[in-house]
Amino acid sequence: MKIRVLIVDDDALVRAGLSMILGGTDDIEVAGEAADGDQVPRMVAEHRPDVVLMDIRMPRVDGLTATEALRSTANPPEVVVLTTFHADAQVLRALRSGAAGFLLKDIPPAELVRAIRKVAAGEPILSPAVTRQLISHVSDGGAGGRRERARSLLTSLSEREREVAVAVGRGRSNAEIGAELYMSVATVKAHVSRILTKLGLNNRVQIALLVHDSES
């Protein structure tokens, strides 16, 4: 089955360019296009995309608000934020709300296609290492409260789960975590799934953010 993608951007030229790139692949199809965040709920319900490419700046409902609303629904599609790197604080907000990662708008076409395939397969496209670098440039005055909350959440995990969470926060892959902690990849995946469920998180990026918060 093809990966269905919804493109959300107020720039018609950007939408056309993305549609042209994705339309040239055998395993991805553009399920629909939206010009503003307020169209996202209807378009997602109508077209059932697997991945949403979400612009940040739009005239009526911005992409961050649309992402937060979408990720709070049942069985939402994955969201990838389209941005320019100088929007650090905005990208961080998107990641905290459950976006699977972000792409720069000048990304090479082949990398865009690979990124969409990875996200559709359940892999975040922002490594925890990049997340840490991004966070280091952001100061929103709430670090103290986040640190205490993160530490409290992590104490609810078993010792083994905490070890896995810390490894995720360091950017380790499932195979690397398995090798470090002497467990199978399947066991690592099971631990990650339990961590997400226990902590009410969406993906590995949010685990990495939580680990970073606990250490800040």
Side-chain angles (χ1 to χ4, degrees):
M1 294 181 64
K2 289 191 174 184
I3 302 167
R4 295 173 58 78
V5 177
L6 173 65
I7 299 171
V8 185
D9 198 296
D10 64 334
D11 188 325
L13 288 177
V14 171
R15 295 198 306 273
L18 292 171
S19 293
M20 186 178 301
I21 293 169
L22 301 180
T25 65
D26 295 329
D27 58 339
I28 299 175
E29 67 173 311
V30 177
E33 298 181 13
D36 204 287
D38 62 358
Q39 300 172 8
V40 170
R42 176 179 61 81
M43 295 292 284
V44 167
E46 181 177 345
H47 298 290
R48 301 294 181 182
D50 303 298
V51 178
V52 177
L53 293 180
M54 185 83 74
D55 186 24
I56 289 182
R57 296 182 178 88
M58 290 180 284
R60 295 188 296 276
V61 175
D62 66 85
L64 301 180
T65 300
T67 296
E68 290 169 345
L70 181 58
R71 292 299 299 176
S72 67
T73 62
N75 301 315
E78 297 292 350
V79 176
V80 176
V81 175
L82 293 169
T83 182
T84 52
F85 196 71
H86 67 264
D88 287 355
Q90 294 175 318
V91 171
L92 185 59
R93 176 183 161 195
L95 296 177
R96 290 191 185 283
S97 67
F102 74 91
L103 297 175
L104 303 183
K105 285 193 174 182
D106 60 356
I107 185 174
E111 290 186 24
L112 171 66
V113 171
R114 282 196 297 270
I116 289 174
R117 287 170 178 157
K118 287 185 66 177
V119 168
E123 302 177 40
I125 56 171
L126 177 65
S127 72
V130 175
T131 302
R132 288 173 178 273
Q133 184 178 22
L134 182 63
I135 292 171
S136 70
H137 290 86
V138 178
S139 176
D140 60 8
R146 287 201 310 273
R147 180 173 57 248
E148 294 308 314
R149 175 181 176 275
R151 290 177 178 177
S152 175
L153 287 172
L154 289 175
T155 58
S156 69
L157 302 176
S158 70
E159 181 178 354
R160 202 59 162 164
E161 288 166 348
R162 283 196 297 274
E163 291 175 340
V164 172
V166 169
V168 169
R170 291 174 178 160
R172 304 291 194 266
S173 67
N174 286 340
E176 291 170 335
I177 295 171
E180 288 180 6
L181 301 180
Y182 303 101
M183 61 178 68
S184 68
V185 170
T187 301
V188 174
K189 289 181 179 179
H191 279 305
V192 171
S193 294
R194 283 196 293 271
I195 292 167
L196 293 173
T197 299
K198 280 187 176 182
L199 303 184
L201 303 178
N202 282 280
N203 53 39
R204 294 169 71 99
V205 172
Q206 288 190 325
I207 296 176
L209 289 168
L210 191 72
V211 170
H212 180 274
D213 286 345
S214 73
E215 297 173 347
S216 62

